[in-house]
C-alpha cells in the first residue's frame, strides 16, 4: 500500500493532524515541530499526544515525519546561532520521544562563505552533541537544492556528514524530488542512474522518506520553488515513476506542494491511483 501524506499545520495539536490526515486520504503526515521561523515550542499536551497515539494506531498512521524549523543553521559561523540550532533540535528530539519511532528531518544548513567542508564539520559535530543512545527517533538530512550556500546539494556532501557522525545508525536521508532536480539530478530522464548514484555514494538503506514535489524551475536551477504535482518541470510521469520505483515504493512520501487541504486530497488520490499494487 502506498504510504503518502502531506505537510499539515500543527497549530491544533496531534489528534487534529491525525484526523485531518485521514480525512484527506493520507496515512502519514509531516508537521513543523514549532513555528517554522524558530522560537519557543508550545508545551506538549500529553492528553492530546495519548489520544493521537490511540487514533494513529487505529488508522495506521506510523511513522510520521517531524520537520525542524527551516531557519535553524547548524553550520552558522556565529557560535550563538549554532548553539540555538543545537538546543532547539535537542529539545525537539526530547519531545518526539513521546511519539516513539518517529522521523525528524532537518535542512543541514548554509555555510555562508565558510566553505562546504567547514559546514560539514560543524553540522556533524552538532549532531554528535545532540544524538542520544536511548533516542528512538531517526534524524534525517534533507537533500537540498543548493540555493545560496546550502550544504547537502550533492549526495557526496550528505555522505560526508554521515561519515563524521558517531551514532550514524540513528541517521538517514530524506530525498526531496524538487530539491534534487533543482540540484541538477535528472530524475525525469535518468531516475535509475540517479538512484544508482545515491546508492553508490550514500547507500539506499539510508533513504527513509521522500518529499514528493514538482518544481517551478528547470533542472539544476538551484532555486527551491515547489510546484503542484504535474504543473512543474518534473511532471506527473516522472513523479509516478518515483512512487513506483522498486527502490522507493515502500518509503513514505510527503507532499510539500503549494496547496490547501483540498488540493492535497486531490494529489493524494491521484498518486494512489497511479501506484501499482504488487500482484499477490
Ligand atoms: Fe524541508
Ligand atoms: Fe522538502
Ligand atoms: Zn524546498
Amino acid at each position: 500500500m502506498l504510504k503518502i501524506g502531506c505537510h499539515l499545520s500543527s497549530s491544533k495539536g496531534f489528534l487534529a493532524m491525525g484526523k485531518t490526515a485521514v480525512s484527506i486520504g493520507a496515512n502519514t503526515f509531516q508537521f513543523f515541530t514549532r513555528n517554522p521561523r524558530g522560537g519557543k515550542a508550545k508545551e506538549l499536551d500529553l492528553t492530546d499526544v495519548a489520544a493521537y497515539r490511540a487514533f494513529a494506531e487505529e488508522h495506521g498512521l506510523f511513522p510520521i515525519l517531524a520537520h525542524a524549523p527551516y531557519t535553524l543553521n547548524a553550520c552558522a559561523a556565529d557560535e550563538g546561532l549554532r548553539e540555538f540550532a543545537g538546543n532547539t533540535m535537542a529539545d525537539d528530539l526530547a519531545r518526539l520521544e513521546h511519539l516513539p519511532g518517529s522521523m525528524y528531518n532537518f535542512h543541514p544548513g548554509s555555510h555562508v562563505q565558510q566553505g562546504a567542508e567547514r559546514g560539514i564539520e560543524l553540522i556533524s559535530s552538532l549532531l554528535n552533541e545532540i544524538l542520544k543512545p536511548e533516542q528512538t527517533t531517526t534524524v534525517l538530512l534533507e537533500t537540498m537544492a543548493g540555493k545560496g550556500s546550502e550544504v547537502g546539494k550533492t549526495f557526496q556532501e550528505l555522505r560526508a556528514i554521515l561519515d563524521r557522525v558517531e551514532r550514524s545508525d540513528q541517521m538517514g536521508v530524506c530525498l526531496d524530488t524538487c530539491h534534487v532536480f533543482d540540484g541538477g539530478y535528472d530524475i525525469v530522464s535518468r531516475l535509475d542512474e540517479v538512484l544508482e548514484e545515491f546508492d553508490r555514494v550514500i547507500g539506499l538503506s539510508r533513504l527513509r522518506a521522500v518529499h514528493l514535489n514538482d518544481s517551478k524551475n528547470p533542472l539544476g536551477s538551484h532555486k527551491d520553488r515547489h510546484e503542484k504535482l504535474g504543473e512543474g518541470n518534473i511532471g506527473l510521469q516522472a513523479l509516478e515513476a518515483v512512487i513506483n520505483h522498486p527502490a522507493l515504493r515502500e518509503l513514505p512520501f510527503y507532499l510539500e506542494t503549494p496547496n490547501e487541504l483540498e488540493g492535497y486530497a486531490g494529489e493524494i488520490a491521484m498518486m494512489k491511483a497511479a501506484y501499482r499494487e504488487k500482484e499477490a
Side-chain angles (χ1 to χ4, degrees), residues 250-270:
E250 305 291 337
L251 294 169
F253 296 91
Y254 299 90
L255 306 167
E256 302 174 308
T257 46
N259 270 311
E260 302 295 327
L261 284 179
E262 206 181 319
Y264 279 134
E267 291 188 342
I268 289 168
M270 189 165 68

Side-chain angles (χ1 to χ4, degrees), residues 30 67 105 107 142-144 174-179 210-213 224 226 254 256:
Q30 174 179 269
H67 195 307
N105 174 69
H107 296 179
E142 182 167 353
T143 58
M144 300 310 292
C174 173
L175 184 142
D176 186 310
T177 53
C178 168
H179 295 179
V210 175
H211 282 165
L212 195 66
N213 301 309
D224 191 2
H226 302 187
Y254 299 90
E256 302 174 308

